[in-house]
Amino acid sequence: MKKLIAGNWKMNGSIQKNALLIQGIIKGIEAEPNLLSACDFAVFPPFVFIPSINKEIKNAAGKIILGAQDCSAFDAGAYTGEVSPLMLKETGCTHVILGHSERRQYHGETDELISRKAQAANKAGLITVICVGETLEEREAGEAQKIVGRQLSSSIPETATAENTIIAYEPVWAIGTGKTATPDDAQAMHGFIRKKLNEQLEDSQKLRILYGGSMKPENAKDLLAAPDIDGGLIGGASLQVADFLSIGRAAL
Ligand code: PGA
């Protein structure tokens, strides 16, 4: 399966910084066309930058996938502060991250809400990147698989297929901490996720499962070599052109 190297920009940057970032990524990819034969690249900027980033991507013949970091569970209406999946689609997104642990943790998102958001996103024709992952306490209590299993069965809606859904396994203790799951630990969880998805979806072999949590140029090669790791969801290292491209190179 072709790897997906996805940059979750979180709430970072500015008009100017993000323009430079996307221009640098595009320039790098154009200079090394073999990168695109090994992997797809995606960026997930903050909402307000989506139209301008879309313009840059379009000018580069759409070589990069564009997505948002969240969406509403509703199509339109009196939901102050929300952005609907249809709006994302109209502004050039094809993908949307849902249920990131930062949204679960700081915004009280539940599996049930994530499932409704994913359903609305699928209905609008978006591909969802549904995030799952255990906390350190849960891992130490030997409950990692139980937690991830519950998140999978409760946050993936009935509209999900192997084509319109991507799973990102992001152990909470590895996000932004510099601590990474070992390739063996990550593979063990990815293998478990694949098995669990077999019970929920048809063709789950075709579904991409990304690893996220302090992925960087130094550890990307070993992680991406694991059989059930189909790419990375990258935060910090996706904000540096050289690091992001170098993670792509690790997929070659
Ligand atoms: P990180 O973030 O790469 O900075 O750990 C990953 C993520 O939260 O998606």
Side-chain angles (χ1 to χ4, degrees):
M1 190 178 323
K2 207 170 171 191
K3 307 279 185 200
L4 174 63
I5 305 300
N8 175 10
W9 292 2
K10 307 194 181 184
M11 197 174 72
N12 288 301
S14 62
I15 294 178
Q16 202 202 2
K17 274 192 190 153
N18 290 346
L20 288 174
L21 180 54
I22 192 67
Q23 285 160 8
I25 294 169
I26 290 169
K27 221 168 120 201
I29 289 173
E30 285 175 343
E32 284 179 77
N34 59 333
L35 280 180
L36 280 184
S37 58
C39 51
D40 294 321
F41 287 91
V43 293
F44 294 83
F47 287 133
V48 288
F49 302 122
I50 286 170
S52 57
I53 299 292
N54 185 37
K55 220 166 165 187
E56 301 277 358
I57 289 176
K58 270 192 176 158
N59 290 343
K63 293 193 181 79
I64 298 175
I65 293 166
L66 178 62
Q69 299 169 19
D70 183 34
C71 72
S72 171
F74 301 102
D75 290 341
Y79 303 103
T80 303
E82 293 278 87
V83 177
S84 84
L86 291 166
M87 293 170 185
L88 294 179
K89 182 90 179 158
E90 196 186 353
T91 43
C93 291
T94 52
H95 289 54
V96 62
I97 296 173
L98 293 173
H100 190 281
S101 65
E102 286 149 15
R103 296 217 54 91
R104 292 178 186 262
Q105 194 179 342
Y106 307 135
H107 302 272
E109 293 203 1
T110 60
D111 289 331
E112 192 268 331
L113 175 63
I114 294 156
S115 168
R116 284 196 288 117
K117 288 183 173 192
Q119 193 169 349
N122 288 157
K123 220 175 77 200
L126 293 174
I127 296 173
T128 58
V129 181
I130 298 180
C131 302
V132 296
E134 80 286 356
T135 63
L136 186 60
E137 297 75 58
E138 289 161 347
R139 172 155 286 260
E140 283 173 348
E143 294 194 327
Q145 290 197 350
K146 189 178 120 199
I147 298 295
V148 169
R150 189 213 68 214
Q151 290 170 335
L152 290 171
S153 48
S154 315
S155 8
I156 300 178
E158 281 185 1
T159 48
T161 64
E163 282 76 36
N164 70 14
T165 306
I166 294 169
I167 300 298
Y169 168 58
E170 300 205 306
V172 179
W173 48 270
I175 296 176
T177 57
K179 289 187 198 144
T180 319
T182 63
D184 285 350
D185 283 347
Q187 168 55 33
M189 186 59 92
H190 280 234
F192 166 76
I193 292 172
R194 181 90 62 202
K195 213 170 100 220
K196 188 93 181 54
L197 292 173
N198 276 337
E199 299 160 12
Q200 280 178 255
L201 298 173
E202 275 175 42
D203 283 343
S204 70
Q205 292 306 323
K206 292 191 193 144
L207 185 145
R208 273 169 163 160
I209 308 173
L210 312 182
Y211 170 81
S214 299
M215 190 184 263
K216 44 191 178 237
E218 302 82 66
N219 58 28
K221 202 166 187 71
D222 289 344
L223 286 162
L224 293 173
D228 286 302
I229 299 185
D230 308 312
L233 183 57
I234 301 133
S238 74
L239 301 174
Q240 304 297 331
V241 174
D243 286 354
F244 190 56
L245 294 174
S246 162
I247 293 174
R249 244 171 253 127
L252 285 174

